[in-house]
Amino acid sequence: MGEMPGPSSPPSPPRAGGPDESPTIAKRDSAVLRARRPVDLVPRLAIDVVRDGGGEPASFAHQGEVCRIGTHSSNHLVLRDPAVSRFHCKLTREGSGWRVQDNGSLNGTTLDGVRIHDAELGPEGVLVLGDSRLSVRAVEGTDEVSLPDTRSFGAIVGASVAMRKLFAVLEKVAASDINVLLGGESGTGKELVAAEIVQRGPRADQPFVIVDCGAISPNLVESELFGHVRGAFTGADRDRVGAFEAANGGTVFLDEVGELPLALQPKLLRALEAREIRRLGETRARKVNVRIIAATNRDLEREVNRGRFREDLYFRLAVMNVRVPALRERIDDLPLLVRAFLSTLGVDGTDLFTPQVLAELAEHDWPGNVRELRNYVERTVVLREPQPTSRRGMGNALPGVDTRVPFKTAKDAAVDAFERAYVSTLLDDAAGNVSRAARNAGMDRMYLHRLIQKHELKKE
């Protein structure tokens, strides 16, 4: 600790602003700096509950990017109508407009007389949920929110309004120790966001353990999370420490948490509530202290409505909900991301990514998001010419028919070529997410894993 200055201590040096600087001037300069920071208007909605199937008509004003509607008390607008689901629907700000998305509700959502799953809301519209009727209109925002004047958040790159809003949230989340649920499409960079939260948080010097819930066989997930003792099941020839024990004092990142088997979810809930785990085959409880950051490309509110995800576990994980925007929502960041990828590869690339090429890339919808863009940049650098962004069939032609080859040999070769082409395209369409690819193809996830290994295909 420093010593307190005594009577003979020299006077403090003058401030950089000189003797004329005053608190008033300091406040003025601070205000000028704040004025230079980018700002955004907080979006607003005005909702008139014309008819509530279980309550009274009312008016509701909402401020924020997302407005959730349902009967559960955690919604922004809570209805009493028994025909309305717990998390019935949500309105999400997108660009200058709003989208209405039904969360797999029991009785559906109607917008202006048309039943919808996902639709754009005009300047105003009428929503019917169960026996309730709501009149909704967008209101010009007046409240301003300051955005960080930065083009990155650690390894996360972006200068768009959507990303600066995300950075503002991440600054606050990283400084806390609460559980966080990261939402967003595959390929948006949720694992990178989780890593940046940890590096700026109070547990930065502690273990950071990643568990990919979608890539583990369902009968091994419990062992992966909580560990097991020798003899707990066939093949358990030694004790094993699970992710929670390995991360004690630090953070567990549950990637694709929406893929967790329903039967395991109560055990995860208990681990979060009691802060203790039991290894498989063991009766003794072990105390653990971990922070949970979870990520999913599924809508967990929709999964709760459908009974595929426990409501109480959802709220344990989603103490803070953070959505990572899709690339199409931040397309202005595309040149910045391309430069960042080129820098990582150690090449200049300006001759490959001309303004015309970048303009063409901006027209693509990028279903694989930032991961797809990174792969595109890498392919372009390797082949030394810009690549088409549209999918052109399966990309791998089947071998031609050669009658000099025995039938069985030719058939096996054709099947192998088909499997490779099909699985490769399937993974591309699912942005490398194996669980999503298996669902899209209607096949068992473990069988898809075997095909990937058989043909040595790279998973993202």
Side-chain angles (χ1 to χ4, degrees):
M1 294 179 63
E3 295 181 355
M4 295 294 292
S8 59
S9 300
S12 301
R15 290 177 297 176
D20 293 335
E21 185 173 336
S22 67
T24 302
I25 294 175
K27 288 181 180 178
R28 181 199 65 195
D29 292 344
S30 178
V32 169
L33 288 174
R34 286 197 305 272
R36 290 176 180 171
R37 295 189 69 181
V39 296
D40 188 47
L41 295 178
V42 179
R44 296 177 59 197
L45 284 173
I47 303 177
D48 293 323
V49 183
V50 180
R51 182 179 72 244
D52 184 347
E56 298 295 327
S59 294
F60 174 73
H62 174 77
Q63 293 193 69
E65 301 284 336
V66 179
C67 179
R68 294 179 171 84
I69 305 174
T71 58
H72 196 277
S73 59
S74 65
N75 289 288
H76 298 101
L77 175 55
V78 180
L79 300 175
R80 307 300 176 191
D81 185 352
V84 170
S85 297
R86 286 173 293 182
F87 306 104
H88 198 102
C89 68
K90 62 185 174 185
L91 290 88
T92 307
R93 178 74 166 184
E94 225 177 67
S96 59
W98 291 84
R99 296 196 72 82
V100 183
Q101 295 168 295
D102 182 81
N103 283 333
S105 62
L106 181 62
N107 294 313
T109 300
T110 298
L111 172 62
D112 294 333
V114 179
R115 183 157 179 165
I116 58 99
H117 295 289
D118 187 341
E120 291 185 7
L121 175 72
E124 58 183 46
V126 174
L127 290 175
V128 175
L129 290 65
D131 295 325
S132 299
R133 183 183 179 90
L134 285 63
S135 176
V136 184
R137 66 182 185 279
V139 180
E140 187 70 28
T142 55
D143 296 336
E144 293 183 346
V145 58
S146 295
L147 302 177
D149 190 10
T150 179
R151 298 162 69 89
S152 66
F153 186 82
I156 309 169
V157 176
S160 61
V161 171
M163 291 305 289
R164 291 186 182 188
K165 287 180 180 178
L166 176 64
F167 295 163
V169 173
L170 294 181
E171 284 179 358
K172 299 174 183 177
V173 170
S176 72
D177 199 33
I178 63 174
N179 292 342
V180 184
L181 178 63
L182 302 175
E185 299 175 9
S186 290
T188 50
K190 296 186 288 295
E191 183 174 333
L192 187 59
V193 170
E196 292 298 335
I197 291 174
V198 171
Q199 290 174 17
R200 287 166 170 73
R203 299 175 185 250
D205 297 328
Q206 300 301 317
F208 177 46
V209 178
I210 300 173
V211 179
D212 187 348
C213 302
I216 307 170
S217 175
N219 58 334
L220 295 178
V221 176
E222 185 173 358
S223 173
E224 186 75 21
L225 292 176
F226 308 131
H228 64 254
V229 297
R230 181 179 179 182
F233 52 85
T234 302
D237 55 356
R238 59 185 176 85
D239 290 358
R240 185 183 189 279
V241 174
F244 273 66
E245 275 189 85
N248 193 25
T251 306
V252 173
F253 176 51
L254 299 176
D255 197 12
E256 299 301 340
V257 71
E259 307 295 334
L260 276 179
L262 191 60
L264 180 64
Q265 293 176 22
K267 297 179 181 180
L268 176 57
L269 177 64
R270 175 171 175 76
L272 298 180
E273 290 182 336
R275 289 181 173 265
E276 64 181 29
I277 58 97
R278 285 186 177 87
R279 292 183 182 179
L280 270 172
E282 189 176 60
T283 57
R284 178 171 66 94
R286 299 169 182 262
K287 288 291 183 181
V288 291
N289 175 18
V290 297
R291 180 189 191 180
I292 299 295
I293 301 179
T296 181
N297 60 5
R298 291 195 183 196
D299 187 333
L300 289 191
E301 292 178 352
R302 181 188 298 266
E303 298 299 293
V304 169
N305 281 341
R306 293 178 174 178
R308 295 199 292 239
F309 202 87
R310 288 181 61 108
E311 178 184 315
D312 44 9
L313 177 58
Y314 168 71
F315 285 112
R316 270 291 175 182
L317 295 172
V319 178
M320 183 70 187
N321 249 312
V322 177
R323 180 179 173 273
V324 184
L327 181 54
R328 63 181 174 277
E329 299 172 39
R330 45 176 296 216
I331 205 67
D332 292 345
D333 289 332
L334 192 143
L336 196 62
L337 289 166
V338 169
R339 287 197 296 270
F341 294 142
L342 290 173
S343 176
T344 301
L345 295 170
V347 297
D348 179 66
T350 52
D351 58 326
L352 296 171
F353 293 93
T354 63
Q356 180 181 354
V357 170
L358 292 174
E360 291 175 356
L361 295 182
E363 298 297 319
H364 184 50
D365 60 356
W366 300 104
N369 293 294
V370 179
R371 181 190 289 123
E372 182 186 355
L373 176 62
R374 183 194 65 202
N375 292 346
Y376 175 87
V377 172
E378 291 177 355
R379 286 197 305 271
T380 300
V381 169
V382 169
L383 298 175
R384 298 302 302 167
E385 63 177 350
Q387 302 299 299
T389 55
S390 59
R391 297 188 182 90
R392 294 182 178 178
M394 303 180 73
N396 292 309
L398 293 175
V401 175
D402 187 351
T403 55
R404 294 171 297 179
V405 177
F407 173 79
K408 186 177 186 308
T409 303
K411 178 183 176 183
D412 290 344
V415 170
D416 282 349
F418 169 78
E419 287 178 350
R420 169 180 282 274
Y422 184 90
V423 173
S424 178
T425 305
L426 187 66
L427 289 172
D428 284 345
D429 289 345
N433 186 297
V434 177
S435 296
R436 179 178 166 193
R439 287 196 303 271
N440 291 346
M443 70 168 65
D444 179 75
R445 189 175 72 227
M446 297 311 297
Y447 177 63
L448 179 56
H449 272 293
R450 288 195 292 272
L451 288 177
I452 292 169
Q453 292 170 357
K454 173 184 174 182
H455 297 289
E456 298 180 346
L457 296 173
K458 183 180 178 182
K459 295 178 290 182
E460 293 296 334

